Amino acid sequence: MGDVTRRRGGARAVCAVVALLTLAAAPGASAARPPQPRPYALSDEAAEVRGTAEETDAPALRPGLAADRIRPGEEKFYAVTLDAASSAHLAVTAVPEPGSRPAPTDGVQAELRTVSGLLCDMDQASAAGQAAYPLTVATSRIVGPGTTRQCRAEGRYLLHVTRREGGARSDAWPVEVSYLKEPPVRGRVPAPRPGAEEQTDQNNARPSPPTGRPRTVHGGTGFDDAEAVRDGVWRDRFVPGETRYYRVPVDWGQRLYADAEVPGAARKDGSPPPLVAAGLRLNVHNPARAPLDREQFRAWTGNGSRADRYSNPVRYENRSMDAASRTHLAGWYYVAVTVTAPMAEPFPGGVPVTLRIDVRGRARKGPAYAGDARAAGIGVAEDDRKAAGTGRTAGQVRADARLRTLGWTGIGVGSALLLGLAGWFLAARRRSAAAPGGRAPR
């Protein structure tokens, strides 16, 4: 996947460290290069796909993750087969090269359509602030009130992804497609609560940010390797030009407050620090990776910079409301923080970022799904709450689950072998006793 990092184990990292140490020890080695921003990490679980320019040849997407690349001006089609009962959530993350300066006209758009061409949902994002950061757009097919009959029907649908023209550069962007299939619910779908539409951070006073001694965290470079955090204060250090991800379990009825802050800095010669017009950005994504809003960059001055977000309470019925529609799933929410490349001037040794997390409200009982919602990534289990604050990523959790499965499989195979050997031994004893001159077992 070109210059996009894929995590294939620790061997590659060890080799890189050895190479750097060797270079540093070599006679006449030049001064070390400044650290480079880490690129977005595509999941090693993502299936390789090649979207097509023609609808009829579109490759089929299955629930989970897929990876592709897209050039400026290119259009790609992918096919999804939907039943008439489940909802489907598709998110596309396009990844400009870290440290590059995409034009404001560069961006990505996703549309979910029927094969007859009827638009069911669409989303788009542009490279605001002339800064390189992952652009995530999300579409959904919701089975419920407000969805047209054609978009609720069983059959084949098309995910249409477009990369808009962005100027002279013609580099292809890696893309990661997430497909979350949400089971239907049993019984009646709850109606929206009066006033719920107004429970946004624009209409509500922010809570007081958490205080206390910050704990160290190392944010991931994508959704799949996002570090798990919980309530409290966290400290990370960014290479300018990086976007880092953190994940927080948010249950039904709860709301997430996230705050990111970069401190001020003064020059040693007493001159005023440079103004960075687009220095810091924070955004929050739901368990289907859909961004809750299109957050803008915040300027950095000598006094620092700060960005925060206060989500609506997570409720199933939010899906039918415009302002709160993307807080309709409980599970892992993702906090994405971007520090732009120009921040290297006031912070040549790396940018310190303080992250404050507060999950507010009592967890409530969720809807009765007619299927395994947990397997789809919906809901919060006790294991998720324990994982928060340990730094474990989704990839590590999957790896641990595979090891547990292999362990139990090994125990089962071993037990079967022992039982088989015991049965063979008893049968042999019986045959020996039954033979002429055989001695009866004691």
Side-chain angles (χ1 to χ4, degrees), residues 109-439:
Q109 177 176 295
E111 299 176 337
L112 185 62
R113 295 179 175 272
T114 66
V115 290
S116 63
L118 178 67
L119 179 65
C120 297
D121 196 16
M122 68 88 65
D123 194 13
Q124 60 184 354
S126 300
Q130 294 188 330
Y133 60 96
L135 300 172
T136 298
V137 292
T139 64
S140 293
R141 192 288 296 267
I142 301 292
V143 175
T147 303
T148 62
R149 178 181 56 81
Q150 297 93 324
C151 291
R152 293 198 308 266
E154 178 180 0
R156 186 171 181 265
Y157 291 73
L158 293 167
L159 177 65
H160 180 203
V161 180
T162 303
R163 164 88 183 275
R164 296 203 295 272
E165 294 284 358
R169 295 201 61 174
S170 60
D171 54 319
W173 286 353
V175 293
E176 187 171 63
V177 182
S178 168
Y179 171 15
L180 186 154
K181 182 179 179 181
E182 182 185 11
V185 295
R186 298 187 183 94
R188 188 177 180 181
V189 176
R193 303 184 184 192
E197 188 90 21
E198 300 301 316
Q199 289 182 303
T200 63
D201 56 0
Q202 291 89 352
N203 297 311
N204 282 247
R206 304 287 210 280
S208 298
T211 59
R213 183 184 297 274
R215 287 164 286 183
T216 300
V217 67
H218 301 288
T221 59
F223 291 98
D224 200 56
D225 68 347
E227 296 281 350
V229 297
R230 54 186 169 86
D231 289 3
V233 184
W234 303 86
R235 180 69 55 79
D236 204 346
R237 183 171 290 273
F238 284 56
V239 174
E242 280 186 338
T243 296
R244 295 193 178 184
Y245 290 76
Y246 313 86
R247 61 190 190 124
V248 187
V250 184
D251 212 340
W252 300 106
Q254 296 183 320
R255 58 195 310 181
L256 171 64
Y257 176 74
D259 176 284
E261 182 180 1
V262 175
R267 294 192 178 188
K268 293 181 179 179
D269 61 4
S271 62
L275 170 68
V276 181
L280 175 70
R281 181 179 184 270
L282 176 146
N283 208 352
V284 177
H285 302 253
N286 73 11
R289 301 189 175 187
L292 301 193
D293 202 356
R294 294 290 172 207
E295 300 291 350
Q296 301 299 313
F297 277 94
R298 305 298 174 91
W300 181 88
T301 67
N303 296 323
S305 183
R306 181 183 169 205
D308 64 354
R309 177 76 189 180
Y310 191 30
S311 77
N312 288 74
V314 175
R315 300 182 181 122
Y316 182 88
E317 59 269 26
N318 285 356
R319 62 194 60 210
S320 61
M321 299 184 297
D322 291 337
S325 63
R326 289 182 169 178
T327 50
H328 66 280
L329 294 171
W332 288 104
Y333 276 66
Y334 300 88
V335 179
V337 179
T338 300
V339 172
T340 60
M343 293 290 284
E345 186 172 353
F347 295 99
V351 184
V353 175
T354 301
L355 182 68
R356 304 175 195 273
I357 298 295
D358 190 8
V359 177
R360 303 180 68 85
R362 183 170 59 88
R364 300 181 181 276
K365 186 178 180 180
Y369 281 104
D372 192 347
R374 283 290 302 153
I378 301 170
V380 175
E382 189 58 35
D383 287 347
D384 297 329
R385 296 186 180 91
K386 291 179 180 177
T390 65
R392 299 179 73 216
T393 68
Q396 290 169 339
V397 170
R398 285 197 305 270
D400 290 347
R402 284 195 292 266
L403 286 175
R404 285 196 299 271
T405 301
L406 288 173
W408 285 110
T409 301
I411 292 171
V413 171
S415 300
L417 286 172
L418 288 174
L419 289 171
L421 287 172
W424 174 84
F425 178 74
L426 290 173
R429 293 285 301 268
R430 292 192 186 98
R431 287 195 298 270
S432 176
R439 186 164 31 175

Side-chain angles (χ1 to χ4, degrees), residues 68-122:
D68 200 353
R69 296 179 73 85
I70 191 165
R71 298 188 303 273
E74 190 172 21
E75 299 182 36
K76 292 204 169 189
F77 288 92
Y78 309 89
V80 284
T81 300
L82 307 180
D83 59 39
S86 305
S87 294
H89 310 284
L90 295 124
V92 178
T93 300
V95 189
E97 180 183 354
S100 63
R101 292 175 63 87
T105 54
D106 207 344
V108 64
Q109 177 176 295
E111 299 176 337
L112 185 62
R113 295 179 175 272
T114 66
V115 290
S116 63
L118 178 67
L119 179 65
C120 297
D121 196 16
M122 68 88 65

